[in-house]
Amino acid sequence: MTPFSNKTKKSFNRRNLLVGLGAIGSLTGMGLYHSINKHDPEIMPQDISPQMIRIAYLKNEENQLLTIAQTKGFLKHYKINLDPIANIKNKTQIFDLLKTNQCDAAILSILDWLPQLLKSRSEGGKLMIGLNGGDFRLLVTHKQKIQRLMDLANLSIGIQPHSEKEKLFFSILLRRKGINPDLNVKWVELEKDELLPALLSGQIQALIGSDPFIWRILHHNNKKLFQLAGSQTGSWSQRINYVLGISNHFQQSNPLALKYLATAIRNASVWQSQHIQEASQILTDEWQKMRPEEILKMFLNENRNMAIINDNLWEQVAQYIDEFKLLGQVPNSLKSGRIAKQFCVTL
């Protein structure tokens, strides 16, 4: 999916500190502006030089907040033009573009960003702003009589190829329940159109994925399937998923543009929460397989307003690093908070 088509021009003790992050989405647009610029003199839009920002993202992933920011004029207000980079094939290509200064900004899941950042220590870029909450879902059939995540021990879970972030998210959930996701679960890679038939036939006992694809499966098969786990409830309902990062070069050369970009995105997030039905109409051209009423139901089931910056952002990044410790992917001796601050832009 592209958000700029011609039709529309989208250590665990830290957990308790994050419960209230969902209130961010209720701020007014003007409050958002001043929360970013509280130490800077206000510069009116007519005083801003036009800014072109080259941005990279995977075409099939969610970028609806940028679609709204573009369509409703939040970016135009600050004279920001986003120039999407074509033919992005995978996240590795995005990281290479950042490192070589061939793009200024990029959008990926935090679960794609962090393995790269932990390996390279912010070589190429840093995280600037969250875009939305999680959209991961794990589906099972009613006939399987699977009631808890623990029931998945020694069973098969279907997953699409190149779906590392979905596998990583549910590995965290399984590990929390005492299941080793590398030893006690069989991950079965299947193509998108093979997942549902494999689940209904019993070839696999669960499948995982992201919206809007996984929502369509659930929505059209709700008498046969139900969601056993996901990122829409509990502590995960306050956690970011997709994050916009900025290249190191662009940070150094355009610090004011970063503040205006963040302000535009945060204002778009507030607008979406207040006009969710209109937002579903805006995205109909982007998601042509979904009717507006279906998009609206999906929005109401998700946690949209996660446009967090500064301390709120690095606190959540630190929490994800703690989750990586649980999986044994980073040493327990790593100072999560200190490293997370290094990964994030301060506006």
Side-chain angles (χ1 to χ4, degrees), residues 260-272:
Y260 287 122
L261 175 59
T263 303
I265 291 172
R266 283 159 69 90
N267 288 347
S269 180
V270 172
W271 182 91
Q272 183 183 23

Side-chain angles (χ1 to χ4, degrees), residues 9 20 65 106 128 132 140 144 154-155 158 186 213 215 227 247 250 274 279 281 300 304 306 319 329 336 338 346:
K9 310 252 178 177
L65 198 54
M128 189 183 82
N132 61 269
V140 298
Q144 287 283 350
N154 302 313
L155 298 182
K186 182 180 180 182
F213 164 69
W215 172 260
Q227 181 175 324
S247 74
F250 194 82
Q274 296 172 346
Q281 293 282 347
L300 292 172
R304 310 308 322 160
M306 297 287 168
Q319 190 175 15
Q329 297 197 6
S336 300
R338 185 177 66 187
T346 300

Side-chain angles (χ1 to χ4, degrees), residues 30-280:
M30 185 60 71
L32 290 172
Y33 178 90
H34 287 295
S35 73
I36 295 176
N37 295 280
K38 59 186 178 181
H39 299 303
D40 297 330
E42 183 173 348
I43 298 177
M44 299 305 291
Q46 60 264 30
D47 299 324
I48 304 170
S49 298
Q51 183 67 60
M52 179 70 74
I53 299 176
R54 300 167 298 171
I55 188 166
Y57 49 83
L58 301 177
K59 68 175 184 177
N60 293 322
E61 297 195 343
E62 287 194 74
N63 298 309
Q64 70 264 27
L65 198 54
L66 289 186
T67 299
I68 290 169
Q70 181 88 350
T71 304
K72 298 304 295 185
F74 293 108
L75 293 170
K76 183 179 180 181
H77 180 73
Y78 292 106
K79 300 183 181 179
I80 294 172
N81 294 303
L82 297 183
D83 180 20
I85 297 175
N87 301 318
I88 298 294
K89 297 180 175 61
N90 52 54
K91 61 185 179 182
T92 301
Q93 183 183 1
I94 291 178
F95 293 131
D96 289 341
L97 291 170
L98 284 170
K99 291 177 185 178
T100 57
N101 192 33
Q102 295 182 68
C103 75
D104 307 310
I107 300 169
L108 286 167
S109 168
I110 186 64
L111 296 174
D112 285 328
W113 279 113
L114 270 182
Q116 177 67 25
L117 292 172
L118 287 164
K119 181 173 66 175
S120 66
R121 288 296 191 270
S122 299
E123 179 187 359
K126 291 185 178 182
L127 307 175
M128 189 183 82
I129 184 169
L131 293 181
N132 61 269
D135 59 359
F136 303 119
R137 303 179 193 273
L138 184 150
L139 309 183
V140 298
T141 63
H142 289 287
K143 67 179 182 181
Q144 287 283 350
K145 301 188 184 302
I146 296 172
Q147 300 297 326
R148 303 172 300 170
L149 279 173
M150 292 181 290
D151 297 335
L152 292 172
N154 302 313
L155 298 182
S156 298
I157 300 177
I159 184 172
Q160 293 182 66
H162 312 297
S163 296
E164 293 89 350
K165 61 182 179 297
E166 289 90 345
K167 181 178 178 181
L168 187 52
F169 175 79
F170 286 105
S171 292
I172 293 169
L173 265 62
L174 291 167
R175 194 66 186 86
R176 283 182 173 183
K177 298 298 182 181
I179 298 174
N180 186 320
D182 297 319
L183 300 177
N184 303 131
V185 170
K186 182 180 180 182
W187 301 96
V188 180
E189 285 196 1
L190 296 166
E191 296 301 324
K192 180 182 291 189
D193 58 357
E194 297 175 329
L195 282 168
L196 181 59
L199 180 61
L200 295 177
S201 69
Q203 178 186 346
I204 56 177
Q205 287 73 54
L207 64 84
I208 63 175
S210 302
D211 292 346
F213 164 69
I214 198 73
W215 172 260
R216 290 200 300 269
I217 288 180
L218 179 62
H219 183 72
H220 292 295
N221 298 275
N222 58 3
K223 293 183 179 180
K224 299 178 181 178
L225 310 178
F226 70 96
Q227 181 175 324
L228 180 68
S231 55
Q232 299 80 32
T233 59
S235 64
W236 292 103
S237 67
Q238 304 300 329
R239 302 282 288 273
I240 52 172
N241 181 11
Y242 286 97
V243 180
L244 185 145
I246 296 291
S247 74
N248 291 330
H249 179 268
F250 194 82
Q251 293 171 54
Q252 296 165 7
S253 61
N254 298 276
L256 190 59
L258 300 187
K259 295 187 177 185
Y260 287 122
L261 175 59
T263 303
I265 291 172
R266 283 159 69 90
N267 288 347
S269 180
V270 172
W271 182 91
Q272 183 183 23
S273 69
Q274 296 172 346
H275 304 84
I276 192 165
Q277 188 163 0
E278 185 178 347
S280 66

Side-chain angles (χ1 to χ4, degrees), residues 317-332:
V317 172
Q319 190 175 15
Y320 274 106
I321 295 173
D322 287 339
E323 308 281 6
F324 280 33
K325 291 179 182 179
L326 181 66
L327 294 176
Q329 297 197 6
V330 295
N332 288 327

